[in-house]
Amino acid sequence: MNFRFQALLGAPYRGGNAAITSSNHLISAVGNRVSITDLIASSTQTLPIQSSSNIARLAVSPNSLFLLIIDDNSRALFINVKLGIVLHRIRFKGAVSAVRFSPNGEMVAVGVGKLVQVWRVPGLKRKEVFGFELVRTFADCGGKVMALDWGNDSEWLVVGSKDLTARLFRVRKGKGGVGLKPFLFLGHRDVVVGVFFGVDGKSGEVSRIYSVARDGAVFSWGKDDARVEKSEKDGDKAGSPGTPEEEEKDGVGNGNVNGNSKKRKRFGGKGRDLDEEEENVLHMMKWKLLKKNFCSQGARVSACDYHRGRELLVVGFSNGVFGLYRMPDFICEHFLTISSQKITTCVFNNLGNWLVLGCAKLGQLLVWEWNSGSYILKQQGHYFDVNCLAYSADSQVLATGADDNKIKIWNVTTGTCFVTFAEHTNAVTALHFTANNNVLLSASLDGTVRAYDFFRYRNFRIFTSPSSRQFVSLTADPSGEVVCAGTLDSFEIFVWSMKTGRLLDILSGHEGPVHGLMFSPTNAILASSSWDKTVRLWDVFEGKGNVERFPHTHDVLTVVYRPDGKQLAASTLDGQIHFWDPIEGVLMYTIEGRRDIAGGRLMTDRRTAANSSSGKYFTTLCYSADGSYILAGGRSKYICMYDVAEQVLLRRFQITQNLSLDGVIDILNSKNMTEAGPLDLIDDYDSDTEVGVDKQTREMLGVGLPGAVPNRGRPIVRTKCLRLAPTGRTFAAATTEGVLVYSMDESFIFDPTDLDMNVTPEAVDAALKEDRPGRALLISLRLNEDALIKKCILAVKPVDIQAVARSVPFRYLKRIMVAFAELMERCPHLEFVLRWCQEMCNAHGRYIKQNSRDLLPALKSLQKAITRSRQDLLDTCIASNLRNFTTGSAPFQYNVEFGALYAAPRC
C-alpha cells in the first residue's frame, strides 16, 4: 500500500512566471507545485515538493541545476532540480515581485517591495549551515520593484519600478565611493514592467538598455561619450537624460570624478589610475534616450521578455495579444492572438527560437517556434474543477471531465493531453470507458450522453431523453451493448442501446437524485444509489425492473461493486460506508469514517473543525483491483484507505498543503478575524489599478455553474472523484488542485518472504556462478528484492527458460509477473522477456485462470507494458515506411507487410 505522489494532471500552468532551462525543459508553477516539461521528449513530471501557498515567482540557475521558488507568503525554497529535494529555505520580509539569477549563478536578485536585495545562493563548493548570504540591499526605488535584469558580467543590475523610472545599479562596491548612487532613466508615464540590457554582438559589452512601460511605451537608451559629474561632498544623485541640471553642466566628459588622480596598488602589485578603474562604470556614464516606440493596442502590457543574442523583444498584453519585435529598429515580426485573457508570462529559450506564452486564467501554456510558426507544445488545463475521471482498460489513458464543458484525454506515461472533446454545452458529470477500450461515454447536465470513438477521435453517437434531463451518473454493461444514465431532476434511470442509440427503457422507483450507477462485473445486474436513502438492484436485460432494495438510515451518495461482483459498497451522508452481499442481500460490514475524513476549517465556518458536521462524509469510493481495500474521498483534504475485511484505516493521504485553499488548516488564527469577517476574505486591493493586470483573481470563477461554492472566490479543497487503474498500481484523484496521480513505489521497501540464514544476496551470486539459474531466481524471489529478481531473470539462458519457468512456485507468480512488466518497459531485450511470459503462461496457465482475482493487478500491469511496446514498435514501422517511401528504398514493401501484420488484432 505504499503509494506516493507521481504526477499532477489537468493544469499545466496556474500563474506566476515560467522558465526554460538550457536543456529545453520548461518549468512552470501549478498551484503550490512545480511542473517540468521535457520539450524534446514531450513528457511532463511534477516535483514531489509543495510550497506553503501558490507559487508567485520562480527562477532557474544558468546551469539548470538549481531552482528557486517563492510563494505568496514570501517563503522561498531552494531546490535541486535533478534530485527533486529542497536544499535550503528562506523567508523574505515582503511580497516578492521579481527574481533572477546572475549569469555566473552565484547570486540572485530579488525585488521585495521597494527594495532590491542581492543574495549569494548556496553552491556545490560552499558548505554553510545557512546557505543564503545577503550581499547588497538597494533602497533607492520610490515604488514597488516590477522587473530587473543582470548584465553579462554579473556586476550590473537594471531595475524597473512603479515610480515610473528605471535605475542602473552596480552590485560590487567601487573604490572611493563609486557605485553608491544609481543612474535614473526618466520619461515614462506609466509603470515600468520590463527592463533589459542590450549587448553589442561583436564586443559583448553593454551598449543599450531597453525599458518597457505598462502603457506599451518601449524606450531605447544608449551610452554617450560624456560622463556624469559626481561630487562626494554634496552627494548629488547621478544625472538623468533630459533634465535641465545635466544640460547646463559643462565639462561633463572630463573623466575626473573625485578630483584626484592618485595611483593605487591592485592585488597583483600593478599600478592603475582610479580613472582607468572607473572607465567602464556604466552608471557613471552619460546615457541618452535614443528612440521612443509604442506598441499599445488598447490594452495594458502584462508580460515581456528580451533575447540578447537575437535582439528580439516579445510583449504580451492583457487582452491575449502578443507582439514580437526586432530591436533596436523595433520591426514587428509577428503580432498574434492566443486567447481573450491576459498573458501572464512570456519567455524565450536560450537559443531564442522558441517562445513560451502562458495564460493563468485559462491554464494555457504554449511553446511557439516563431520562425516556422509551429507549436512545440500546446497544453491547456481545465478552466474549472475536474468532476469525473475514467481509466482505460490498459491503464495507459486517463479521461477527465470538468465544469468547463470539456473532456480531455491524457497520456498517463507522459502526462500530456493529446485530445480534447468540446461537444457538451454544460458541465460534464460522469465518464466511462467500455471494456473493449475503444469507446468513451460521457454524461452532462446539458441533457445528453455522448459516445466517442477512440480510433478516429470523434463523437459518433448522442443519447437523449424524450424531455430535457440533467444526467449526473453513467455506466455501461461489461459487453458494452447497453448504456445507463441517472438523472438529477426526474430521479429516473434511462437505458439505451449502444448500437442503435434507441431508448430501450426508463427505470423508475427512486425518489431522489440518482448519483451512483454501476453494473456488476460478472452479470447484468445494475446497482443504483439515490438520495432517497436506498440502493436498488435492477435486472436490465430480463426486464424485471427492481429486484432488490437495500435501505439505509441516511442519503446514499455513491455505490460501487467489488471487481469480482460479490460485494457492494455504499457511502451515506452520516459518514459511514456499508458493505452488502448483493447475492444474499445482507449487510456484511460497516465502516465509521466521520473521524477519519474530518479535517480542515473553512474561513466562513462558525464552529471548529472538530465540532463541525459539514463535509464529514464520502462522496466517491473506489475498490482496489483485488478488492482487499477501498479508497474513499469527499469534501476534505484527506483521502482514506480502508482494509475491507478488518474495517480499519490503513492510511490517509493529504492531497495538498496549499494554504491558498480554504479548508487546509484545522485551527484559524483569531488575529485574522475582524468585525467584517475573516481578514483573508476582505479585498483591500487598490481598486484604481486595472483588475487582472496586477492581480490574478478568481472572484468570478465558477459562479453560476454546478458545483460552484459561494466562498467569495476562495477555492475549497475537496476530492470529487477517485479511480484506481486496472493494474492496481496507480490511482487518480480529481481534486481542487487538479488530477493527482499516485503510484506504488516498492524501490525502498525490504519485504522478504521465507527468509532464513541461507537466503542472502551472496547466495544468489554464488548460484549464478555455479550456473544454477533456477536456484538463484528462487532465492531472489524469497528475498523479494527487485534488482536481484531482474538480474536472475536476465541471467537465464534462452534454452533454459522453459525449465526454470516450470520450477517457479505458485506463490511467487504475482511477484515475477510484476518484474516482467517492469522489464518490458525498461529492458531492451524484448523478445527475451516475451519468451519468459509465454513459458510462464504455458507452465502455470491453469493456476493463473483459477486465481485470476488475486493475480489481476499483475496481469493488468503486464498487459499494459506489452501493449505499450507493441504500439512503440508499430510507430517505428510506420516511420520506417514513410522514410523508405520518400527515399525509394527496397525494404518499403517488407515494412508495409510487417506493419500490417503487427497491427492486426490479436485474440
Side-chain angles (χ1 to χ4, degrees), residues 758-812:
N758 297 324
V759 179
T760 60
E762 291 77 12
V764 175
D765 296 334
L768 291 177
K769 290 181 180 179
E770 296 173 2
D771 198 14
R772 301 175 63 184
R775 174 178 172 79
L777 180 60
L778 182 60
I779 296 175
S780 64
L781 289 171
R782 293 175 65 181
L783 281 172
N784 199 16
E785 287 196 14
D786 187 67
L788 287 177
I789 294 175
K790 295 177 182 177
K791 177 181 177 180
C792 294
I793 291 175
L794 297 177
V796 179
K797 298 178 181 179
V799 295
D800 299 333
I801 292 179
Q802 183 177 5
V804 176
R806 292 180 178 179
S807 65
V808 176
F810 291 149
R811 60 179 179 272
Y812 298 132

Side-chain angles (χ1 to χ4, degrees), residues 58 305-306 325 517 901:
L58 59 85
D305 191 29
Y306 176 75
Y325 304 92
L517 275 182
L901 178 64

Side-chain angles (χ1 to χ4, degrees), residues 462-538:
I462 303 176
F463 307 96
T464 58
S465 56
S467 59
S468 180
R469 294 288 184 264
Q470 292 182 322
F471 297 108
V472 291
S473 56
L474 177 68
T475 189
D477 71 308
S479 63
E481 297 179 358
V482 172
V483 179
C484 300
T487 59
L488 178 67
D489 43 7
S490 66
F491 315 147
E492 297 171 329
I493 302 174
F494 291 84
V495 183
W496 297 276
S497 170
M498 174 67 78
K499 293 183 179 179
T500 62
R502 186 171 59 91
L503 181 63
L504 301 178
D505 196 2
I506 300 177
L507 305 178
S508 303
H510 280 296
E511 299 176 359
V514 183
H515 270 268
L517 275 182
M518 189 173 186
F519 268 101
S520 172
T522 56
N523 51 45
I525 300 299
L526 174 67
S528 63
S529 65
S530 173
W531 291 1
D532 61 2
K533 305 178 183 180
T534 62
V535 172
R536 298 173 184 263
L537 301 184
W538 312 80

